[in-house]
Each structure stands twice: as structure tokens, then as C-alpha cells.
Amino acid sequence: MERRPALLAALLAASLVVTTLAAPALVSARPAYEIPVADVDDGATLDTADGEEWTQAPSAGVPLSSSGAAVPGGDESTVDEVRVASARTDERLYLRVSWADPTRDTAAGDVRQFADAVAVQVPVNESARPPIAMGSTDNRVNVWYWNGLNVSQELLAGGPGTTTVLDDSDLESNATYRDGRWYVVLSRPLTDSSDDRTTFSTERDVDVAVAVWNGSSMERSGAKATSEWYYLALGPGPEGPPYETILWLVAGLGMVFTTLVTIEGIRRTRGE
């Protein structure tokens, strides 16, 4: 009987050690606002929304809320979250945005008919975070846009109402609608010589924000669901399994220390 508390404490300590070692492989402890970017050798199947390589790319949930723009429906958006996955090759950056939408709106033939759409914005100058509402005149944003009419455009904006279409864009898109959910891939070369487009490197993370329009809810223009600024983890900062392992190792050592202190307290209480 005297050995039972110590035995239970030892079993507890052993289970904590096992949990510490196994948990990083079972859960995700990603930094807040991070969208991981998978580094792949061949992007052949990333061009399509159902491409096999997307099954290997981790994704992040990004909450959305109404834009609050001073337009009809500006505070009545209907999409509250998107999932964003990203991957890069040596030449190209890919983003796959997916969201639940029970209505597939792909026509705009009537004045009261609007297509579903999605856009992502990144800073033209990736070293400075612009205002979230389409940037500003001295801190512009590069926007990648797709809608249910299968129109994709690369845009430049320096504040609300200043959006212009960039010519000679290499932006490519692909979309599929499956089981009440849109999956849209947008991709573009990492580098561009134009001062109006973002150049991506592995030297730093890059801010990114998302907007979604639900056509059947009359969402268009400023009536949309938007995110806060997140960031694409392109740089060398803490990310992925090593970061998670460090967190779990620290937590595990703390739990083992607490257990050992408890065992010693029991021993002293019993006068051993």
C-alpha cells in the first residue's frame, strides 16, 4: 500500500513523457495569423484545385467578417471563414482558397444577379503593412481576383475606389465547386520586374488578406466578407514541426518536474 502513490506518480510521469514526444505529430501549434507555405519541387498538379499535391500542403483557417463598408449590405456578409493553403516552387507561388457556399453563383446576366468571387491582397512593398482596406496611396496593394464567371484579374489599389487592372498579368486561376464548397487556386510567378507587383522571396514573410463575395446574397463591390492581415510564412522564421516540438518539450519538462516534486512531497510526508 505504501508504494502505491509513488507507483501511480511514476506511471503519470511516464505517460506525460510519451505524450510530450507523440503530441507534436498529432496536433498543430502554429503561430497565430500564420499561413504555412509548402516548398515543392514540381508544381504540376498545383495548377488545379483538386491537384494531388494540395493533399500535402497544410492549410490555415482564416475568419472573415463583414467589411463594414458604407454601401448597401456592407455589414451583412454571409461567409465567415475560408481555408487557405499555399505552396511554392522555385518559380511560382500558389494559393488555394476554399469556403462553404451552399449556392453556386456563376452568372451575372441580370442587374440583380452577381457571381461568387474571391480576392487576396498582398503589399506591393512586402516590407511594410498597408491599411487593410485596399492599402493607401503611399502603400499600395497587389490584388489577385477570381469570380464565378471564370474571370481572373491582377489588380493594383492605393485605397478604396482606386482599383485598376494590371495589364500583361501572368496570374492564373482554376476553380471547382464540390459538396457545397468552392476551391479556387490562384498562382503567379514569384518575381516581377514591375514596381506595381509584389516580388516574393524566401527572405521574409509576406502579409496577405482575403475577401469573399457570395453572389446569391447580393454581395458585390464593398459588400463582402474580409479578413484581418495574416502572413504567408515564406521567410526563415519559426514555423512548422521544429517550433511545435520546442513548445511541447518545454510543456513536457514542466509537467515532469511537477510530478517529481509531488513524489518527493509524498515521500517526505511518509517519513521515508
Side-chain angles (χ1 to χ4, degrees):
M1 295 293 291
E2 295 178 355
R3 294 177 178 268
R4 180 172 295 178
L7 179 60
L8 291 176
L11 291 174
L12 175 60
S15 66
L16 291 176
V17 171
V18 172
T19 301
T20 300
L21 295 175
L26 302 176
V27 302
S28 176
R30 189 172 297 129
Y33 300 101
E34 179 191 279
I35 295 173
V37 181
D39 193 354
V40 300
D41 295 328
D42 183 5
T45 70
L46 291 172
D47 288 323
T48 60
D50 287 329
E52 180 181 352
E53 281 153 321
W54 286 115
T55 62
Q56 306 299 320
S59 63
V62 176
L64 305 179
S65 59
S66 300
S67 68
V71 296
D75 57 355
E76 300 173 356
S77 64
T78 55
V79 180
D80 56 13
E81 185 187 66
V82 293
R83 291 207 68 84
V84 182
S86 182
R88 62 175 292 274
T89 63
D90 289 341
E91 294 82 26
R92 205 168 184 88
L93 176 67
Y94 299 82
L95 294 170
R96 189 179 76 165
V97 185
S98 67
W99 69 97
D101 184 346
T103 56
R104 180 174 179 267
D105 305 305
T106 58
D110 185 87
V111 293
R112 295 181 61 81
Q113 193 173 34
F114 304 96
D116 297 328
V118 62
V120 297
Q121 68 173 15
V122 292
V124 172
N125 175 7
E126 71 276 20
S127 65
R129 174 171 287 184
I132 190 70
M134 306 299 286
S136 63
T137 54
D138 58 354
N139 201 349
R140 301 173 299 169
V141 293
N142 185 187
V143 179
W144 304 358
Y145 171 84
W146 169 93
N147 69 24
L149 304 172
N150 277 323
V151 172
S152 58
Q153 295 175 319
E154 190 171 9
L155 311 166
L156 177 69
T162 65
T163 303
T164 58
V165 179
L166 294 173
D167 296 327
D168 303 323
S169 174
D170 289 321
L171 180 71
E172 294 180 0
S173 66
N174 181 270
T176 188
Y177 183 85
R178 183 178 68 251
D179 299 329
R181 193 172 184 88
W182 277 113
Y183 297 83
V184 178
V185 171
L186 297 165
S187 74
R188 207 210 64 182
L190 292 168
T191 61
D192 193 286
S193 58
S194 170
D195 292 337
D196 294 331
R197 292 187 172 94
T198 308
T199 290
F200 301 93
S201 74
T202 57
E203 300 301 317
R204 66 169 67 245
D205 301 332
V206 175
D207 290 321
V208 62
V210 183
V212 171
W213 292 261
N214 183 359
S216 60
S217 294
M218 307 289 287
E219 295 176 20
R220 74 281 189 194
S221 187
K224 56 187 176 184
T226 59
S227 76
E228 299 181 55
W229 282 113
Y230 275 62
Y231 69 91
L232 297 169
L234 290 158
E239 58 186 88
Y243 180 79
E244 297 169 7
T245 300
I246 292 172
L247 287 178
W248 278 101
L249 181 60
V250 171
L253 290 174
M255 288 186 286
V256 170
F257 176 76
T258 302
T259 302
L260 293 176
V261 170
T262 302
I263 293 173
E264 182 62 20
I266 294 173
R267 286 171 55 85
R268 293 189 178 186
T269 300
R270 296 180 176 277
E272 298 177 356

